[in-house]
Amino acid sequence: MQKRYVRPLFWLALLALLAGCGETPTGRSQLALVPGPLMADMGADTFNQLRNTQPISRDAQANQLVQCVAQKVVAGAQASYPGLDFPERWEVVVFEDPSPNAFALPGGRIGVHSGLLRVAETPAQLAAVMGHEVAHVLADHGNERLTQQLGIKAVLLVVGLLGEGEFGSQQLMQALGVGAQLGISLPFSRTHEEEADLMGLEIMARAGFDPQQSVALWQNMAAASDGQPPEFLSTHPAHESRIRSLQGALEETTATFRSVAPAQC
């Protein structure tokens, strides 16, 4: 075998060896090779970039609501998945943006668009979105997507032959779920979205928010998203499919909700 093929085949073999070694909190096999501390650093850099370029809401009532819901959602996540490593603190910011979006980044950063508060009509509906976004972080979906984007470079990163500076900022932001135009979320894969939906349902219920409000939230989202493309053209599940999936998990999560003290925000 010629030498020029040996090294690439070695890295591919190493990648194959590492594949399937990890699992998400739901038990799904996962290949996520980027070191956790590096993901946290990238999350911090991205969040700081957003803070420096996007207007921040000064609405005291909105900020108080978002901070309260975020605190309870994080506590619910810790109670739901006690075996995971959690950041010591979470930074939460409300951005002035009319789009009904939110996002969470590795290292404990949560951003909420002011436009979401016009669609999420109750604290529980806001908790449904925030629980979903925190679930993306807990399941390491950004790491998994970045590993897929990098391919063999991810292995080089693990073995120390590739530095953080060799990543493009746009590539990093896309993997973290934030678009090239700052503040515009990019969809995760359907697998990631469905996993985050179910994890988020458990998180909000454990936090003391009625999980049935998640269905109401997505009904509101459907009403607010005129002209959405057909499901087969999008990695996001269509609203109807998402609602059906959530409804299928309501019995168990409602029992969880009834076993804890209701949240007050």
Side-chain angles (χ1 to χ4, degrees):
M1 181 178 295
Q2 297 183 29
K3 284 186 176 181
R4 68 176 182 272
Y5 297 119
V6 172
R7 186 169 296 177
L9 288 176
F10 168 76
W11 296 123
L12 288 172
L14 179 58
L15 182 63
L17 182 64
L18 292 170
C21 291
E23 285 189 349
T24 67
T26 67
R28 178 177 61 84
S29 294
Q30 178 186 60
L31 181 61
L33 297 180
V34 182
L38 178 54
M39 290 298 299
D41 288 345
M42 292 189 294
D45 290 344
T46 300
F47 203 67
N48 288 336
Q49 189 174 356
L50 288 168
R51 287 178 62 96
N52 292 332
T53 58
Q54 296 292 99
I56 295 174
S57 173
R58 303 303 177 188
D59 185 324
Q61 186 175 3
N63 276 279
Q64 183 178 12
L65 172 63
V66 169
Q67 294 289 341
C68 178
V69 172
Q71 182 181 24
K72 295 185 183 303
V73 164
V74 169
Q78 291 173 322
S80 298
Y81 303 100
L84 300 181
D85 291 330
F86 280 79
E88 292 184 6
R89 59 180 296 271
W90 290 71
E91 184 179 5
V92 184
V93 173
V94 181
F95 293 96
E96 280 292 350
D97 189 312
S99 60
N101 286 329
F103 59 89
L105 300 176
R109 279 89 184 173
I110 297 173
V112 174
H113 292 184
S114 57
L116 178 61
L117 303 180
R118 290 189 286 273
V119 177
E121 298 174 346
T122 66
Q125 290 180 22
L126 179 59
V129 180
M130 296 177 77
H132 171 96
E133 297 302 329
V134 168
H136 276 309
V137 174
L138 299 184
D140 223 5
H141 288 159
N143 192 337
E144 186 176 5
R145 181 156 68 173
L146 186 56
T147 298
Q148 292 168 353
Q149 289 179 358
L150 291 174
I152 200 67
K153 290 183 180 179
V155 180
L156 299 177
L157 174 67
V158 171
V159 298
L161 297 181
L162 187 70
E164 179 183 353
E166 295 181 58
F167 297 145
S169 60
Q170 181 173 335
Q171 183 180 39
L172 297 180
M173 294 180 73
Q174 289 176 344
L176 293 169
V178 181
Q181 299 299 319
L182 299 184
I184 300 177
S185 298
L186 292 178
F188 285 92
S189 70
R190 286 195 190 185
T191 297
H192 290 167
E193 288 295 326
E194 291 165 0
E195 189 167 45
D197 274 348
L198 297 180
M199 288 178 63
L201 207 61
E202 169 66 22
I203 288 169
M204 70 177 293
R206 190 73 62 181
F209 295 102
D210 184 355
Q212 305 221 25
Q213 286 291 302
S214 66
V215 174
L217 178 279
W218 285 106
Q219 289 170 338
N220 294 349
M221 284 286 195
S225 60
D226 295 335
Q228 175 180 293
E231 180 173 7
F232 68 88
L233 295 179
S234 172
T235 54
H236 274 297
H239 295 304
E240 296 80 5
S241 299
R242 180 168 245 150
I243 289 169
R244 284 195 299 270
S245 177
L246 290 168
Q247 287 173 329
L250 281 180
E251 182 176 354
E252 182 177 351
T253 52
T254 298
T256 298
F257 166 66
R258 290 173 177 166
S259 70
V260 302
Q264 300 294 328
C265 280

